[in-house]
Amino acid sequence: MVATDTYAFASALATAALAVLHGLVWRQLRQRWSLLFAITFAVMAVVYTFDARLQPIGSQPNPWAALLAAVMAVVMTLGVMSYVGVAERVARPLTRGLVVAGLVIVALTWSGFVNRLWAFAMLSCFLLLQSGLAWMALRREPDRGHLLLFLSLISYPATIVATAFGAFDVQLLRYLVTVPTALTGMTVLTTGLLRAHEVARGELVRRHAAEDALRQLNEALEQRVLQRTAELHEIVTALESFNRSISHDLQGPLGGIAGVSRLAAEALAAGDVPAAEQMMSVIARQAEDSAELVASLLTLARVNDAEIAPRAVPLDSVVHETLEQLRLTDPALPAPPADLAVQVGALPTVEADPSLLRQVYVNLIGNAIKFSRGVAEPRIEVGAFAQAGGHVMYVRDNGVGFDSEAAEHLFEPFRRQHRGGFAGHGVGLSIVKRIVERHGGRVWARSRPQAGATFYFWLGPPGAPPPPSPLVP
């Protein structure tokens, strides 16, 4: 076996193995560059398998060998273009140019217009183009193995130049091309698989992130469903209480107004003006009581529908504004310094809607004043302390208090714990609860009969969950 047969056999084995490897990559990953390189190395394996029949004729290349070499050069260049990611708008005209160049080379070799060295030189222009593409990819992605690809591609044109100066025998050029092309094939295969692995890993990370986001969305939806269910339950409970209130608290005064109105009319008809005036005052009180009930219902409805506009609110100013408002609406409340012994401690600044938060203190401090009036020395304390990443605000009084068993239903609409001697319709605390919960907080109360009561509400930063079991200092 002569040396050329050995070169051809080794080249056929190497290129066939590369064709199989790139074919397997194409089958698994469906990468376009792997298919093009598989075709290139398959054709090259055929050329070296039939090397004896494709030997040059004197100084002229074998026309069939030139045709197959042109096909390999064009297809391999397309593979490099796909591998380095040439833009589509550039790839289309470049592909047409490659096909035309390949046809020109085939035509020149078939016509005998060029000798073998010039044929190799023209084919090496494809490798120069591939080297340029690898160099641009190296500048764009320096850590992707493009440097090794560039060096392997540029080595063959350098070999052509060295052969032109007599460094190599021109007979060996057809075998020497195996070294840079095999190196190129292995480089593309290795770095391409690593890149595909990175892409797959990135896709896996994105899928995990998408799954986590979907799980969080489902949890948020479940939480919203639970919250909405609780709100609907609260609305149903409120409607039931509303029906009871309408049938009792509102229907009674309206019936009384109607009955007293008839009596007043009869008194006027009989000329008994003093009796009619007395009855008219009763009608006025009944009408005012009914108006207060309707106003409470409207307030509760507005709290449910109001848009919350949270901002930084200093609570000390809210509490002092609340006390001024209560003095204006309740003439019996003494002005400072008497002030019903209302002690205001250090209060924080919280993120909340100031108008709604003022409504909370109006109801809590108003209730504390109302239920402390019968005490010899009424005392009301307003304060706060830090807890669970937020703040717990409280209003404490030394009034009549309530039974701890009643605390469960204390914040339900129209539930009144004290009826005799205390005005009201049982809506205030339900308004407080709704406002606090709409701010993401919670409200609770502690008391004993005749030992005063303390009402607490917790507010935290936006999105922070309230403490699962409220604590008090």
Side-chain angles (χ1 to χ4, degrees), residues 313-325 347 353-362 365:
V313 181
L315 291 183
D316 53 353
S317 62
V318 172
V319 170
H320 288 95
E321 290 171 5
T322 300
L323 291 172
E324 292 298 326
Q325 179 179 346
L347 296 173
D353 187 303
S355 60
L356 293 178
L357 201 57
R358 189 176 297 109
Q359 188 69 33
V360 169
Y361 276 110
V362 165
I365 298 177

Short mmCIF file of all heavy atoms in Angstrom, two decimals, residues 313-325 347 353-362 365:
data_model
loop_
_atom_site.label_atom_id
_atom_site.label_comp_id
_atom_site.label_asym_id
_atom_site.label_seq_id
_atom_site.Cartn_x
_atom_site.Cartn_y
_atom_site.Cartn_z
N VAL A 313 -48.74 58.33 56.80
CA VAL A 313 -49.67 59.07 57.66
C VAL A 313 -49.12 59.11 59.09
O VAL A 313 -48.98 58.05 59.72
CB VAL A 313 -51.06 58.42 57.66
CG1 VAL A 313 -52.02 59.21 58.54
CG2 VAL A 313 -51.60 58.32 56.24
N PRO A 314 -48.81 60.27 59.62
CA PRO A 314 -48.43 60.36 61.05
C PRO A 314 -49.68 60.24 61.92
O PRO A 314 -50.58 61.08 61.87
CB PRO A 314 -47.79 61.74 61.16
CG PRO A 314 -48.34 62.52 60.02
CD PRO A 314 -48.68 61.56 58.93
N LEU A 315 -49.74 59.20 62.74
CA LEU A 315 -50.95 58.91 63.49
C LEU A 315 -51.24 59.94 64.58
O LEU A 315 -52.40 60.11 64.96
CB LEU A 315 -50.85 57.51 64.11
CG LEU A 315 -50.89 56.34 63.12
CD1 LEU A 315 -50.85 55.03 63.87
CD2 LEU A 315 -52.15 56.41 62.27
N ASP A 316 -50.21 60.59 65.10
CA ASP A 316 -50.49 61.57 66.16
C ASP A 316 -51.37 62.69 65.63
O ASP A 316 -52.30 63.15 66.32
CB ASP A 316 -49.18 62.11 66.73
CG ASP A 316 -48.25 62.66 65.65
OD1 ASP A 316 -48.55 62.49 64.45
OD2 ASP A 316 -47.23 63.25 66.02
N SER A 317 -51.12 63.15 64.40
CA SER A 317 -51.97 64.21 63.84
C SER A 317 -53.38 63.69 63.56
O SER A 317 -54.37 64.41 63.75
CB SER A 317 -51.35 64.75 62.55
OG SER A 317 -51.26 63.74 61.56
N VAL A 318 -53.49 62.41 63.13
CA VAL A 318 -54.82 61.83 62.88
C VAL A 318 -55.63 61.78 64.18
O VAL A 318 -56.82 62.12 64.21
CB VAL A 318 -54.68 60.42 62.27
CG1 VAL A 318 -56.04 59.74 62.20
CG2 VAL A 318 -54.06 60.50 60.89
N VAL A 319 -54.98 61.36 65.27
CA VAL A 319 -55.70 61.25 66.55
C VAL A 319 -56.15 62.63 67.04
O VAL A 319 -57.29 62.80 67.50
CB VAL A 319 -54.81 60.54 67.59
CG1 VAL A 319 -55.44 60.63 68.98
CG2 VAL A 319 -54.60 59.08 67.20
N HIS A 320 -55.28 63.63 66.97
CA HIS A 320 -55.67 64.96 67.43
C HIS A 320 -56.76 65.56 66.56
O HIS A 320 -57.67 66.22 67.06
CB HIS A 320 -54.44 65.88 67.47
CG HIS A 320 -53.49 65.56 68.59
ND1 HIS A 320 -52.39 64.76 68.43
CD2 HIS A 320 -53.51 65.92 69.90
CE1 HIS A 320 -51.75 64.66 69.60
NE2 HIS A 320 -52.41 65.36 70.51
N GLU A 321 -56.72 65.31 65.23
CA GLU A 321 -57.81 65.75 64.36
C GLU A 321 -59.11 65.04 64.72
O GLU A 321 -60.20 65.63 64.67
CB GLU A 321 -57.45 65.50 62.90
CG GLU A 321 -56.34 66.39 62.37
CD GLU A 321 -55.88 65.96 60.99
OE1 GLU A 321 -56.50 65.03 60.43
OE2 GLU A 321 -54.91 66.53 60.47
N THR A 322 -59.01 63.77 65.10
CA THR A 322 -60.20 63.01 65.49
C THR A 322 -60.82 63.59 66.75
O THR A 322 -62.05 63.73 66.85
CB THR A 322 -59.82 61.54 65.71
OG1 THR A 322 -59.29 61.00 64.51
CG2 THR A 322 -61.04 60.73 66.14
N LEU A 323 -60.00 63.93 67.72
CA LEU A 323 -60.52 64.52 68.95
C LEU A 323 -61.22 65.86 68.67
O LEU A 323 -62.28 66.14 69.24
CB LEU A 323 -59.39 64.72 69.96
CG LEU A 323 -58.79 63.42 70.55
CD1 LEU A 323 -57.57 63.72 71.38
CD2 LEU A 323 -59.84 62.68 71.37
N GLU A 324 -60.64 66.67 67.78
CA GLU A 324 -61.28 67.93 67.42
C GLU A 324 -62.62 67.68 66.74
O GLU A 324 -63.61 68.37 67.00
CB GLU A 324 -60.36 68.75 66.51
CG GLU A 324 -59.10 69.27 67.20
CD GLU A 324 -59.44 70.23 68.32
OE1 GLU A 324 -60.45 70.97 68.20
OE2 GLU A 324 -58.71 70.24 69.33
N GLN A 325 -62.65 66.66 65.88
CA GLN A 325 -63.90 66.34 65.18
C GLN A 325 -64.96 65.86 66.16
O GLN A 325 -66.14 66.23 66.05
CB GLN A 325 -63.63 65.26 64.12
CG GLN A 325 -64.88 64.84 63.34
CD GLN A 325 -64.55 63.78 62.30
OE1 GLN A 325 -63.40 63.54 61.96
NE2 GLN A 325 -65.59 63.14 61.79
N LEU A 347 -47.02 57.74 68.81
CA LEU A 347 -47.66 57.04 67.71
C LEU A 347 -46.76 57.06 66.48
O LEU A 347 -46.09 58.07 66.21
CB LEU A 347 -49.02 57.68 67.37
CG LEU A 347 -50.07 57.61 68.47
CD1 LEU A 347 -51.30 58.41 68.08
CD2 LEU A 347 -50.46 56.16 68.74
N ASP A 353 -54.61 54.99 54.09
CA ASP A 353 -55.46 56.06 53.57
C ASP A 353 -55.86 56.94 54.76
O ASP A 353 -56.53 56.48 55.68
CB ASP A 353 -56.70 55.47 52.89
CG ASP A 353 -57.52 56.52 52.18
OD1 ASP A 353 -57.95 57.49 52.84
OD2 ASP A 353 -57.74 56.38 50.97
N PRO A 354 -55.47 58.21 54.79
CA PRO A 354 -55.70 59.04 55.98
C PRO A 354 -57.18 59.24 56.30
O PRO A 354 -57.56 59.23 57.47
CB PRO A 354 -55.01 60.37 55.64
CG PRO A 354 -54.86 60.37 54.16
CD PRO A 354 -54.73 58.94 53.75
N SER A 355 -58.02 59.40 55.29
CA SER A 355 -59.45 59.63 55.57
C SER A 355 -60.10 58.40 56.17
O SER A 355 -60.90 58.49 57.11
CB SER A 355 -60.17 60.04 54.28
OG SER A 355 -60.06 59.02 53.30
N LEU A 356 -59.74 57.20 55.66
CA LEU A 356 -60.30 55.98 56.22
C LEU A 356 -59.74 55.71 57.61
O LEU A 356 -60.47 55.24 58.50
CB LEU A 356 -60.02 54.80 55.29
CG LEU A 356 -60.73 54.83 53.93
CD1 LEU A 356 -60.32 53.63 53.09
CD2 LEU A 356 -62.25 54.85 54.11
N LEU A 357 -58.45 55.98 57.79
CA LEU A 357 -57.85 55.76 59.10
C LEU A 357 -58.46 56.69 60.15
O LEU A 357 -58.64 56.31 61.31
CB LEU A 357 -56.34 55.97 59.01
CG LEU A 357 -55.49 55.32 60.11
CD1 LEU A 357 -55.74 53.83 60.17
CD2 LEU A 357 -54.02 55.60 59.86
N ARG A 358 -58.80 57.90 59.76
CA ARG A 358 -59.45 58.82 60.68
C ARG A 358 -60.81 58.27 61.10
O ARG A 358 -61.23 58.41 62.26
CB ARG A 358 -59.61 60.19 60.00
CG ARG A 358 -60.08 61.28 60.96
CD ARG A 358 -60.13 62.63 60.27
NE ARG A 358 -58.79 63.04 59.81
CZ ARG A 358 -58.42 63.07 58.54
NH1 ARG A 358 -59.27 62.69 57.59
NH2 ARG A 358 -57.20 63.45 58.21
N GLN A 359 -61.51 57.59 60.17
CA GLN A 359 -62.80 56.98 60.49
C GLN A 359 -62.63 55.88 61.54
O GLN A 359 -63.50 55.69 62.40
CB GLN A 359 -63.43 56.42 59.22
CG GLN A 359 -64.85 55.93 59.38
CD GLN A 359 -65.82 57.07 59.60
OE1 GLN A 359 -65.64 58.17 59.09
NE2 GLN A 359 -66.85 56.82 60.39
N VAL A 360 -61.50 55.15 61.49
CA VAL A 360 -61.23 54.11 62.49
C VAL A 360 -61.15 54.74 63.87
O VAL A 360 -61.78 54.28 64.84
CB VAL A 360 -59.92 53.37 62.15
CG1 VAL A 360 -59.49 52.47 63.32
CG2 VAL A 360 -60.10 52.55 60.89
N TYR A 361 -60.37 55.81 64.00
CA TYR A 361 -60.20 56.45 65.32
C TYR A 361 -61.48 57.15 65.77
O TYR A 361 -61.76 57.21 66.97
CB TYR A 361 -59.04 57.43 65.27
CG TYR A 361 -57.69 56.76 65.50
CD1 TYR A 361 -56.78 56.64 64.46
CD2 TYR A 361 -57.35 56.26 66.74
CE1 TYR A 361 -55.55 56.03 64.66
CE2 TYR A 361 -56.13 55.64 66.96
CZ TYR A 361 -55.23 55.53 65.92
OH TYR A 361 -54.03 54.91 66.13
N VAL A 362 -62.26 57.68 64.82
CA VAL A 362 -63.54 58.29 65.20
C VAL A 362 -64.42 57.28 65.89
O VAL A 362 -65.04 57.55 66.94
CB VAL A 362 -64.23 58.89 63.96
CG1 VAL A 362 -65.70 59.20 64.26
CG2 VAL A 362 -63.52 60.15 63.50
N ILE A 365 -62.38 55.83 69.38
CA ILE A 365 -62.36 56.82 70.47
C ILE A 365 -63.77 57.24 70.85
O ILE A 365 -64.09 57.44 72.03
CB ILE A 365 -61.51 58.04 70.05
CG1 ILE A 365 -60.06 57.61 69.80
CG2 ILE A 365 -61.55 59.12 71.13
CD1 ILE A 365 -59.15 58.72 69.32
#
